Amino acid sequence: MNRLIAATAGGLLALFSMYWDDSLHTDVGRDTFWSAPHVLLYGSLMVTLAATAWWGIGRARSQGLRTTMADPLLRWAVVSAGAIGVSAPADEAWHIAFGRDAVLWSPPHLLGIVATFALAVTLLRAIATEGGGRPLVLGSGLVLAASLAPVMEYESDVPQYSAVWFLPAAATGLTFAIVLIRRFDPHPWAVTRAALVATAVRLAVIPVLAGLGHSTPIVPPVLVVALAADAVRRWRTSPWGLAPVVPLAVHAAYVPLLPLLPHGSTVAADQIVPSLLLSLGGSALVVLAAEGLPRTRLPVIRTAGLTVAALTLALPLLSAERAIAHDPGQGTEAGEAHWRTTARGSRIDVTVSPEPSASGRAVLVARRAGQELSAPLTSSGVGVYRGYVTVPESGRWFVYAAFRDAGASTTETWIPVEAGSSQLLHENRPLYVPPAPQKDGAGRTAATVALYGLSGVILVAVARSGRRTPLPQG
């Protein structure tokens, strides 16, 4: 059991590393592979995998190798470790073949997140198999915290896509975690206990990142969602009761709090209804994958349910545009730029002084959540450019200054700015030659389908793992 506790602690440390890495990208940009958060992330994952392997060896000694090899927990540990091992080289190969792609939902990044979630579920199952007890709370907390990793960029106000996808992604992930926690943790308040652990972890992350001078994520109000899920369990044992309850609780908790929380992406009033509908579809899809449809004598109902669920799954992939909010993968450094930036409500005024001096056309670009606004930069002296841009909403915007000379070469520099505030910034930022844009084509499409497909297969298999009994009729 101590080995599993060490593995779970390593998983929680890995989640902290992910938020640290995200804040570093937000404030500074992409760093080297050997940056502190990367080293901590891969080191903590190695601790988790090593402790899991140690646990497997212990089981082999006590139960025999043949029995241990037939254990589904060991197979899942191998699958999770293999997927984590594949995601890192796949990400590097992706950048080499198709260009920079720093969005969290890119196929290689999503595979790594899914593999980490699968490993967390494996640890929870292993703890339950070993007798549960207090360590089960830690395992459940890890699963719940890992389910929120896909919305990390929204939680730190770096939305790559429209905010309409924020709460559906959160509700779908939370539903997934809650179904599995209820499956492996019999305590009547299992989800609430897990939410307390996840909240404590986030409360520990924030002061550390603030002390390092980096942006911080929000503290998600998952405790409200957990209380609703546990309350529902008292009057409806079927997991299908979670399909409407979790999305409704997520929106009731998040929507009024997000405008009050620093560094959280808000959901506009006209996005609430589509957000709720997408959340209901995502949560129903999770329960369908985990438990199947309630038994019915009408095959048409089952077929219609499967069709709606499949369309719900495909909708985000079919409708989402290319992420252009922020790509911190700078290219070759070409100098330095001094920024003086003033945010007054929706207007952002900028003075940029690149060194060495730039010539030719200069443009100011502001990006957030799939939106891109451009404005001219006017030269007002040797190497000094001024301009402003008016943005349609508050929050963190990434403001770029791009300089294109007569030889058609381009250099750029960027800075994060909080619109809707009274912010004055004086900073020196790198001036760099941006890498080539992403390459589209059959190769990229095939790689996308393969990596997303692998992630989907793992998620479905995780959802159906460890089922003890068929779902009772609701």
Side-chain angles (χ1 to χ4, degrees):
M1 182 65 75
N2 290 336
R3 301 163 187 174
L4 295 176
I5 294 174
T8 306
L12 291 171
L13 189 59
L15 286 176
F16 163 73
S17 306
M18 293 172 64
Y19 283 95
W20 185 8
D21 189 46
D22 177 65
S23 68
L24 190 65
H25 287 186
T26 298
D27 300 329
V28 179
R30 182 177 296 175
D31 208 338
T32 67
F33 176 82
W34 299 107
S35 67
H38 286 174
V39 171
L40 184 59
L41 172 61
Y42 291 110
S44 55
L45 285 176
M46 289 298 294
V47 168
T48 298
L49 293 173
T52 305
W54 186 20
W55 167 78
I57 293 171
R59 286 176 67 89
R61 288 176 176 174
S62 62
Q63 300 180 7
L65 182 60
R66 178 174 296 181
T67 302
T68 303
M69 291 297 292
D71 191 335
L73 284 176
L74 182 62
R75 292 199 297 269
W76 265 112
V78 172
V79 169
S80 303
I84 290 173
V86 167
S87 65
D91 186 44
E92 183 65 21
W94 182 279
H95 294 316
I96 294 173
F98 310 123
R100 59 183 186 177
D101 189 1
V103 63
L104 188 65
W105 291 357
S106 73
H109 295 167
L110 191 61
L111 177 60
I113 291 172
V114 167
T116 303
F117 180 76
L119 181 59
V121 175
T122 302
L123 291 173
L124 176 61
R125 291 181 61 191
I127 293 171
T129 301
E130 293 289 331
R134 291 184 179 179
L136 203 57
V137 181
L138 196 62
S140 297
L142 174 61
V143 170
L144 193 71
S147 72
L148 290 173
V151 296
M152 185 185 308
E153 290 177 330
Y154 285 105
E155 290 184 329
S156 54
D157 202 23
V158 192
Q160 296 282 6
Y161 301 101
S162 169
V164 75
W165 301 110
F166 177 14
L167 298 187
T172 302
L174 287 170
T175 303
F176 207 154
I178 290 169
V179 167
L180 294 171
I181 290 169
R182 285 179 49 168
R183 182 178 295 170
F184 300 119
D185 188 346
H187 194 279
W189 297 101
V191 183
T192 301
R193 298 192 308 174
L196 288 172
V197 172
T199 302
V201 170
R202 190 65 64 86
L203 288 172
V205 166
I206 290 175
V208 174
L209 293 181
L212 293 171
H214 295 314
S215 298
T216 57
I218 65 172
V219 178
V222 292
L223 192 56
V224 175
V225 182
L227 287 168
D230 281 334
V232 164
R233 189 176 191 174
R234 293 180 171 273
W235 61 269
R236 184 175 178 83
T237 58
S238 168
W240 276 101
L242 297 172
V245 168
V246 172
L248 288 169
V250 164
H251 283 74
Y254 276 78
V255 170
L257 281 179
L258 285 173
L260 307 177
L261 298 174
H263 297 162
S265 302
T266 58
V267 180
D270 61 347
Q271 296 175 323
I272 293 175
V273 171
S275 172
L276 180 58
L277 293 176
L278 287 168
S279 299
L280 290 168
S283 292
L285 179 63
V286 166
V287 180
L288 175 66
E291 303 291 348
L293 284 170
R295 293 174 181 174
T296 174
R297 296 181 180 179
L298 299 177
V300 174
I301 295 178
R302 295 177 63 86
T303 304
L306 289 170
T307 302
V308 171
L311 290 174
T312 302
L313 177 64
L315 183 60
L317 299 179
L318 293 174
S319 63
E321 299 178 354
R322 177 70 57 81
I324 58 172
H326 175 48
D327 185 348
Q330 296 101 311
T332 305
E333 287 201 20
E336 191 175 61
H338 178 72
W339 285 80
R340 177 185 172 89
T341 307
T342 304
R344 296 186 181 91
S346 61
R347 174 167 166 156
I348 301 173
D349 289 273
V350 166
T351 300
V352 188
S353 303
E355 296 179 5
S357 298
S359 60
R361 182 172 176 267
V363 63
L364 188 66
V365 180
R367 294 172 179 155
R368 175 183 170 86
Q371 304 170 81
E372 183 174 276
L373 308 173
S374 299
L377 277 173
T378 304
S379 177
S380 58
V382 179
V384 178
Y385 293 83
R386 289 188 171 88
Y388 73 91
V389 61
T390 302
V391 296
E393 62 183 62
S394 300
R396 182 185 280 116
W397 287 78
F398 292 92
V399 180
Y400 290 74
F403 308 94
R404 187 178 183 88
D405 62 23
S409 63
T410 302
T411 56
E412 69 180 26
T413 177
W414 63 271
I415 191 170
V417 180
E418 291 286 343
S421 65
S422 298
Q423 186 183 45
L424 176 63
L425 298 174
H426 288 272
E427 289 189 29
N428 290 326
R429 310 283 294 192
L431 181 70
Y432 57 91
V433 178
Q438 296 179 37
K439 301 174 184 177
D440 292 314
R444 188 177 188 276
T445 301
T448 299
V449 171
L451 292 174
Y452 276 149
L454 179 57
S455 298
V457 168
I458 293 174
L459 284 175
V460 171
V462 169
R464 300 183 69 82
S465 65
R467 292 200 305 173
R468 299 188 181 96
T469 56
L471 183 70
Q473 294 187 25

